[in-house]
């Protein structure tokens, strides 16, 4: 019987042929924690009487969620992480370096066939590099830090086949929001997702990251794609080598196969307060917004900032809108600076904040006030997510966010974009 | 292990941001402090309504969203003895087992807010005393049971120094 991508990766990493439902203890290639989860993982490491890391060169801690620290309590936990890094010799990414997931993607350590665990639910992002990467809690992470292994139940796979070509002004964010709306927030729970079809193949690697990033929003354990030239180009650009593509067998068995033609898709938004509460833009156009955010591990990449700058050249955002930009990494920040992208965004009325998670997680960098509406490129719009339970959050593509920032209301980006 | 208490009922898709908001979790490792804010964005007075031993009862996909282990810990430190739900999101489920918070999969349509329940984890049965009915419990997957029986994952690691699990066919996660 043929195998899915995740069955193959888990077979490779556990040293035996495994199938759906098997419990495996698999070797991990890389382990990552961020500042919301690492302090508890360090506690768990001590409780496990950990003496050393399985391999310090394959462990990274990242300060990105509350970065730079806005509070003394946060500062003390950051210091706990820095001390642990010095003690164990693992890689430490500090303030200004960027969002953990973008840093992992840019590390050269992760590529086709890799197995990565991270104490952050959006670790599934690296699925776009044909890697099985998944989010775990702090105690599981501590187990991986010590042993270099993790236990998994081999999941069934749900396959999304996307045919056709995305229309101009419609992006991978619109596609993944649409798919989440179709299957709902628990439509892929305990399952691995595979995204395939010519519409996925046509996407840039950065656009693919957006899709895999949001696999968790349908409950999935992984959001995998097949490797192609774009995948290997990305990995090579960051010094990665020695990876081998992992493809699903033609006779692999799937829990479900869903096929869509994306050629007629219009821009999509997730409405408050659920990511699967998705509607086409035409149903929402005209709603006033007070804050617009571009950034996060979903859409804070160079391609996203270029789209924003392309639309804002010679324009300004509405005086009634606060426009916040959080580049996903230092590398992206510098490149956007060199290209004049940041200059355009700042002159258009934008406020650039430190590379990192920005205002997405509700600790700082743009907490909305009571009764306000935010439009954001992030991946979650739960009540209170941005720090105020009395505000509303819409999720959309960078183009829709920028179009809405210009007019001060939810606006179709196709009025501003031409490809 | 038998628990007795009243049901506090919530709906489907309760995410970990609702269980413990991001604005608190980055500040401290003091779980007693975090526990005061449990479920705050859905019910501002929730913490004050809890009597030790009570149950958090919910619908489908409990614990979806972020991987924060502060979520099961905040529930545990708030004095709730277990979470009963129709289904659980996978990261939360693992985190709950690893940190010693009992999670029980069952038909929660048979439980109304305020109902008095006894939950017998070993026997795998819930008695709804208010309604005089018994509710069946989906058994824990064997691998999870093994971690629980070792006293949680930290104790498992103190004992073996690594993941030492029976790798046969399992039903569940």
């Amino acid at each position: 019987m043929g195998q899915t991508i995740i069955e193959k990766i888990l077979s490779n990493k556990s040293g035996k042929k495994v199938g759906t439902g098997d419990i495996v203890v698999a070797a991990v290639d890389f382990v990552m924690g961020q500042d919301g989860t690492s302090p508890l993982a360090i506690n768990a490491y001590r409780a496990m009487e950990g003496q050393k890391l399985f391999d310090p060169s394959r462990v990274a801690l990242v300060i990105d969620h509350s970065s730079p620290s806005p509070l003394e309590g946060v500062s003390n936990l950051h210091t706990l992480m820095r001390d642990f890094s010095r003690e164990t010799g693992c890689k430490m990414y500090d303030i200004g370096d960027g969002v953990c997931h973008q840093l992992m993607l840019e590390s050269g350590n992760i590529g086709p066939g890799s197995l990565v665990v991270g104490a952050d639910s959006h670790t599934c992002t690296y699925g776009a590099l044909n890697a099985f990467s998944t989010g775990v809690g702090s105690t599981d992470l501590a187990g991986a830090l010590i042993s270099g292994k993790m236990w998994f139940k081999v999941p069934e796979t749900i396959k999304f086949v996307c045919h056709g070509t995305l229309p101009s002004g419609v992006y991978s964010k619109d596609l993944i929001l649409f798919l989440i709306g179709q299957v709902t927030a628990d439509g892929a729970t305990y399952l691995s997702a595979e995204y395939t079809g010519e519409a996925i193949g046509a996407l840039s690697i950065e656009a693919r990251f957006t899709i895999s990033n949001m696999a968790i929003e349908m409950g999935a354990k992984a959001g995998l794609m097949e490797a192609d030239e774009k995948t290997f180009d990305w990995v090579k650009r960051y010094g990665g080598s020695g990876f081998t593509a992992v493809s699903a067998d033609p006779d692999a068995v799937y829990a479900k196969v869903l096929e869509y033609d994306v050629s007629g898709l219009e821009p999509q938004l997730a409405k408050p307060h659920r990511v699967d509460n998705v509607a086409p833009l035409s149903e929402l156009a005209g709603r006033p917004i007070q804050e617009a955010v571009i950034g996060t591990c979903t859409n804070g990449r160079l391609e996203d900032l270029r789209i924003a700058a392309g639309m804002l050249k010679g324009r300004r955002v509405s005086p009634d809108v606060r426009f916040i930009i959080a580049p996903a990494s230092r590398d992206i920040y510098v490149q956007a600076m060199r290209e004049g992208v940041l200059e355009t965004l700042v002159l258009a009325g934008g406020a650039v904040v430190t590379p990192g998670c920005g205002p997405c997680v509700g600790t700082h960098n743009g907490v909305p006030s009571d009764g306000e509406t935010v439009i954001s490129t992030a991946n979650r719009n739960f009540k209170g997510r941005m720090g105020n339970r009395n505000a509303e959050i819409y999720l959309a593509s960078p183009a829709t966010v920028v179009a809405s920032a210009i007019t001060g209301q939810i606006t179709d980006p196709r009025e501003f974009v031409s490809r | 292990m038998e628990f007795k208490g009243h049901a506090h009922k919530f709906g489907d898709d309760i995410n970990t941001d609702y269980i413990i908001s991001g604005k608190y979790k980055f500040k401290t490792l003091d779980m007693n402090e975090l526990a005061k804010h449990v479920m705050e964005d859905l019910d501002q007075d929730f913490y004050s309504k809890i009597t030790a031993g009570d149950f958090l009862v919910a619908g489908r996909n409990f614990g979806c969203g972020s991987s924060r282990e502060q979520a099961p810990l905040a529930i545990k430190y708030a004095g709730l003895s277990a979470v009963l739900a129709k289904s659980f999101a996978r990261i939360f489920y693992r985190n709950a087992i690893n940190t010693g918070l009992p999670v029980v999969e069952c038909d929660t349509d048979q439980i109304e807010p305020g109902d008095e329940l006894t939950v017998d984890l070993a026997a795998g049965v819930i008695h709804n005393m208010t309604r005089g009915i018994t509710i069946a419990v989906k058994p824990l997957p064997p691998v999870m049971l093994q971690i629980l029986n070792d006293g949680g994952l930290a104790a498992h690691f103190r004992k073996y120094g690594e993941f030492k699990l029976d790798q046969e066919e399992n039903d569940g996660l």
Side-chain angles (χ1 to χ4, degrees):
Chain A
M1 195 169 69
Q3 288 185 301
T4 59
I5 297 176
I6 200 161
E7 285 173 329
K8 285 194 178 173
I9 295 178
L10 284 172
S11 296
N12 292 341
K13 299 299 177 184
S14 64
K16 60 183 181 194
K17 188 170 180 181
V18 300
T20 297
D22 291 345
I23 298 291
V24 301
V25 176
V28 299
D29 294 299
F30 210 88
V31 181
M32 183 277 296
Q34 38 89 340
D35 50 332
T37 54
S38 296
L40 273 180
I42 294 167
N43 273 4
Y45 177 88
R46 306 284 184 219
M48 288 175 175
E49 296 170 358
Q51 302 298 316
K52 58 182 176 60
L53 301 178
F54 79 103
D55 180 352
S57 70
R58 288 194 275 164
V59 174
L61 301 184
V62 184
I63 291 174
D64 60 354
H65 277 58
S66 231
S67 164
S69 168
L71 290 164
E72 64 196 71
V74 175
S75 306
N76 290 336
L77 295 179
H78 286 174
T79 292
L80 180 76
M81 290 171 67
R82 294 183 190 110
D83 289 347
F84 184 79
S85 160
R86 271 190 286 270
E87 170 194 329
T88 59
C90 72
K91 173 84 179 166
M92 183 77 217
Y93 292 97
D94 216 310
I95 64 162
D97 284 334
V99 189
C100 55
H101 304 306
Q102 187 61 26
L103 294 169
M104 292 303 98
L105 293 168
E106 293 175 2
S107 72
N109 289 313
I110 296 162
S114 298
L115 199 169
V116 183
V117 293
D120 186 284
S121 60
H122 293 109
T123 302
C124 52
T125 309
Y126 332 144
L129 289 182
N130 191 228
F132 169 37
S133 57
T134 196
V136 298
S138 298
T139 302
D140 270 336
L141 192 84
L145 291 174
I146 295 168
S147 67
K149 292 175 188 160
M150 182 62 59
W151 78 266
F152 297 102
K153 181 181 179 192
V154 182
E156 289 186 278
T157 294
I158 179 169
K159 180 155 100 168
F160 295 87
V161 188
C162 300
H163 301 290
T165 312
L166 284 174
S168 175
V170 181
Y171 301 88
S172 66
K173 180 61 162 288
D174 300 300
L175 174 55
I176 188 61
L177 286 174
F178 172 76
L179 295 177
I180 293 164
Q182 291 294 304
V183 302
T184 78
D186 67 349
T189 300
Y190 304 136
L191 302 175
S192 170
E194 282 184 18
Y195 304 101
T196 184
E198 65 268 21
I200 302 291
L203 293 173
S204 71
I205 195 81
E206 290 176 80
R208 293 178 196 174
F209 293 150
T210 303
I211 290 181
S212 292
N213 174 268
M214 293 190 76
I216 182 69
E217 308 310 330
M218 48 174 74
K221 190 182 234 170
L224 285 152
M225 295 181 186
E226 305 213 304
D228 63 10
E229 208 179 314
K230 292 176 193 170
T231 319
F232 283 99
D233 283 350
W234 174 272
V235 173
K236 215 166 114 187
R237 193 196 312 171
Y238 292 99
S241 61
F243 298 103
T244 309
V246 181
S247 305
D249 291 323
D251 59 342
V253 178
Y254 291 91
K256 214 185 259 187
V257 179
L258 299 172
E259 305 211 22
Y260 300 93
D261 189 326
V262 306
S263 304
L265 196 70
E266 69 167 290
Q268 307 281 312
L269 290 94
K271 299 182 285 181
H273 299 284
R274 299 168 55 106
V275 186
D276 61 357
N277 190 17
V278 176
L281 193 146
S282 52
E283 284 178 20
L284 302 167
R287 297 190 182 206
I289 55 127
Q290 290 80 40
E291 183 170 313
V293 178
I294 295 219
T296 78
C297 55
T298 318
N299 278 117
R301 284 175 266 277
L302 192 57
E303 183 174 284
D304 303 315
L305 302 184
R306 283 176 180 156
I307 290 167
M311 292 170 68
L312 280 166
K313 197 100 193 160
R315 290 194 178 96
R316 275 191 71 88
V317 300
S318 160
D320 298 325
V321 173
R322 300 181 301 276
F323 179 40
I324 298 166
I325 303 117
S329 73
R330 188 186 296 277
D331 208 38
I332 292 166
Y333 195 20
V334 169
Q335 190 56 34
M337 212 185 281
R338 285 184 181 142
E339 291 181 13
V341 162
L342 285 188
E343 185 180 341
T344 302
L345 297 179
V346 171
L347 288 174
V352 182
V353 300
T354 310
C357 303
C360 174
V361 283
T363 54
H364 62 346
N365 275 339
V367 177
S369 76
D370 290 349
E372 284 195 324
T373 301
V374 180
I375 189 165
S376 166
T377 64
N379 42 37
R380 289 195 175 130
N381 61 347
F382 306 144
K383 192 191 280 190
R385 173 74 180 183
M386 292 179 68
N388 186 343
R389 74 176 71 91
N390 299 313
E392 296 198 322
I393 307 165
Y394 287 83
L395 306 178
S397 75
T400 299
V401 168
V402 169
S404 306
I406 293 169
T407 62
Q409 53 189 27
I410 293 176
T411 298
D412 194 324
R414 292 173 294 187
E415 295 173 25
F416 298 93
V417 176
S418 56
R419 249 187 227 174
Chain B
M1 233 186 313
E2 190 177 276
F3 301 103
K4 189 172 178 179
H6 291 90
H8 298 274
K9 200 165 177 191
F10 292 88
D12 293 337
D13 300 307
I14 299 299
N15 61 67
T16 53
D17 273 83
Y18 290 163
I19 299 168
I20 181 68
S21 168
K23 68 182 169 191
Y24 301 118
K25 72 153 178 164
F26 294 100
K27 277 195 249 183
T28 181
L29 290 178
D30 180 353
M31 293 304 145
N32 290 310
E33 184 55 38
L34 288 185
K36 293 176 190 162
H37 302 288
V38 70
M39 306 299 280
E40 188 183 86
D41 282 341
L42 294 184
D43 178 355
Q44 281 187 64
D45 307 318
F46 181 63
Y47 180 71
S48 64
K49 295 175 184 169
I50 301 167
T51 302
D54 282 354
F55 301 100
L56 210 163
V57 180
R60 285 158 52 121
N61 202 26
F62 185 87
C64 61
S66 117
S67 67
R68 63 192 69 174
E69 206 160 281
Q70 290 91 337
L73 288 168
I75 293 170
K76 193 173 147 182
Y77 278 77
L80 294 158
S81 58
V83 183
L84 283 49
K86 288 184 195 170
S87 65
F88 291 89
R90 54 166 287 277
I91 305 177
F92 178 88
Y93 196 84
R94 286 179 76 122
N95 289 348
I97 299 294
N98 285 344
T99 55
L101 173 72
V103 275
V104 181
E105 212 173 303
C106 63
D107 177 13
T108 53
D109 284 344
Q110 301 184 59
I111 302 169
E112 294 298 325
D115 281 1
E116 189 179 11
L117 312 173
T118 62
V119 176
D120 186 339
L121 284 180
V125 68
I126 298 167
H127 294 289
N128 187 332
M129 315 296 272
T130 306
R131 277 161 225 289
I133 52 172
T134 297
I135 304 165
V137 164
K138 190 177 169 194
L140 275 182
V143 63
M144 295 298 213
L145 204 57
Q146 200 186 336
I147 292 169
L148 260 190
N149 287 339
D150 281 339
L153 192 66
H156 179 91
F157 260 76
R158 279 198 301 274
K159 195 166 159 189
Y160 301 109
E162 60 171 321
F163 291 101
K164 193 109 184 156
L165 302 166
D166 293 334
Q167 295 175 46
E168 70 242 21
E169 190 94 357
N170 265 268
D171 179 33
L173 285 220

